[in-house]
Amino acid sequence: MAGDRHGAEGLCGSYGRRLGRRRGMRGLFSAPAVVGLLEGEGLDDAARETLERVVCLEWELFDGVRNAGGRASCQDDLRSFFSYRCTQYLAFPHEIVPRVLGELERAELEGRNVVREKYARMMAVTDPEAFGREWSSLLAPPSPVKSEALRQLRRLLVPALEEAAAALPVSHGHARPDESSAGHVSALDYLEAEVCSYSLGTIFALRDALRRQLGHTNPIARSYVLSGRLHDATEVIE
């Protein structure tokens, strides 16, 4: 979204609107090409259902986020949202997806829109003055223990990002930048803004799973490949 600067209105819109967005997302998940791709990535029926529930809920929550200049066009770009979010969950350790679903459901029961919180946290690096004015009193900073866990995640992923840039420079050029600037959030700052809403248990589980995965697979390079495949798999649906 333009500038990565957002507020929110309500949790995520009316029930009818949520159902409509849910139907659209489920239509992509049921497409034969998508089903085949997910099966090829090792997801059984239960894992595909969990991933679908996560991405559907994020899509509903995204509807409630408001850009500083009004609603952004990407909030209605179902296909791109599907490709991007599924890419992340498929490229990173699959075992974390059920934990993420639990985090999303728990936050919603508490009346929190974690997608809104993610974009607000991005403002801390893309527009610090606006963040201090609009959000610093609403979002508590992470505890020292969580801050250290987030630093550990970043230290794990910096070499992976560098390797992905060297191996796939064209794809890397189309991804988020390496460093955040005014209005533009980096790949690692984006991930940290998202993960910051998770419980310590989930962050530690992600850290440990990443350590195991990085021994044989680069999730960032993998995400570049999967992004194109997922986009192609939904092409005939539009």
Side-chain angles (χ1 to χ4, degrees):
M1 296 178 86
D4 290 316
R5 181 181 171 186
H6 304 78
E9 294 179 0
L11 190 58
C12 48
S14 70
Y15 182 66
R17 186 173 179 84
R18 291 189 67 173
L19 285 178
R21 287 174 75 86
R22 193 178 306 168
R23 282 195 296 269
M25 186 61 72
R26 286 178 172 170
L28 294 185
F29 270 97
S30 64
V34 172
V35 172
L37 189 155
L38 297 181
E39 288 178 347
E41 290 300 311
L43 273 66
D44 60 17
D45 290 345
R48 291 199 305 273
E49 181 180 350
T50 300
L51 177 61
E52 180 179 323
R53 289 170 65 190
V54 167
V55 178
C56 279
L57 184 50
E58 289 181 333
W59 180 235
E60 294 163 26
L61 292 169
F62 192 34
D63 192 44
V65 178
R66 291 294 175 266
N67 186 22
R71 186 175 180 83
S73 60
C74 59
Q75 288 177 272
D76 298 309
D77 189 347
L78 173 67
R79 183 182 174 199
S80 293
F81 187 91
F82 167 85
S83 298
Y84 181 78
R85 297 308 297 166
C86 286
T87 290
Q88 178 168 310
Y89 290 122
L90 290 173
F92 281 71
H94 296 179
E95 65 205 75
I96 299 301
V97 179
R99 282 183 168 270
V100 173
L101 179 59
E103 298 283 351
L104 292 171
E105 292 176 337
R106 182 163 48 253
E108 190 174 27
L109 287 173
E110 295 170 353
R112 296 167 48 221
N113 184 328
V114 294
V115 177
R116 174 187 61 180
E117 292 177 6
K118 173 174 68 176
Y119 282 103
R121 288 193 178 93
M122 289 182 206
M123 289 173 61
V125 293
T126 62
D127 193 345
E129 290 186 6
F131 176 81
R133 184 174 60 251
E134 300 170 16
W135 287 100
S136 60
S137 62
L138 300 176
L139 285 177
S143 68
V145 175
K146 180 176 282 190
S147 294
E148 175 56 26
L150 293 171
R151 283 192 290 270
Q152 290 172 6
L153 279 177
R154 185 179 288 264
R155 286 196 293 267
L156 284 171
L157 289 170
V158 165
L161 183 64
E162 294 171 348
E163 291 170 6
L168 299 166
V170 175
S171 296
H172 184 73
H174 292 292
R176 292 188 180 274
D178 292 343
E179 300 291 338
S180 293
S181 59
H184 300 281
V185 68
S186 72
L188 296 185
D189 283 336
Y190 179 97
L191 182 65
E192 182 171 328
E194 179 172 313
V195 172
C196 192
S197 68
Y198 297 168
S199 65
L200 271 173
T202 295
I203 294 175
F204 288 148
L206 174 59
R207 178 200 62 191
D208 294 344
L210 267 176
R211 282 175 175 161
R212 293 189 294 271
Q213 182 184 33
L214 287 166
H216 56 83
T217 304
N218 183 327
I220 297 177
R222 183 72 179 139
S223 73
Y224 294 165
V225 175
L226 284 168
S227 179
R229 292 181 60 202
L230 282 162
H231 196 264
D232 291 345
T234 59
E235 186 172 12
V236 296
I237 302 172
E238 289 201 322

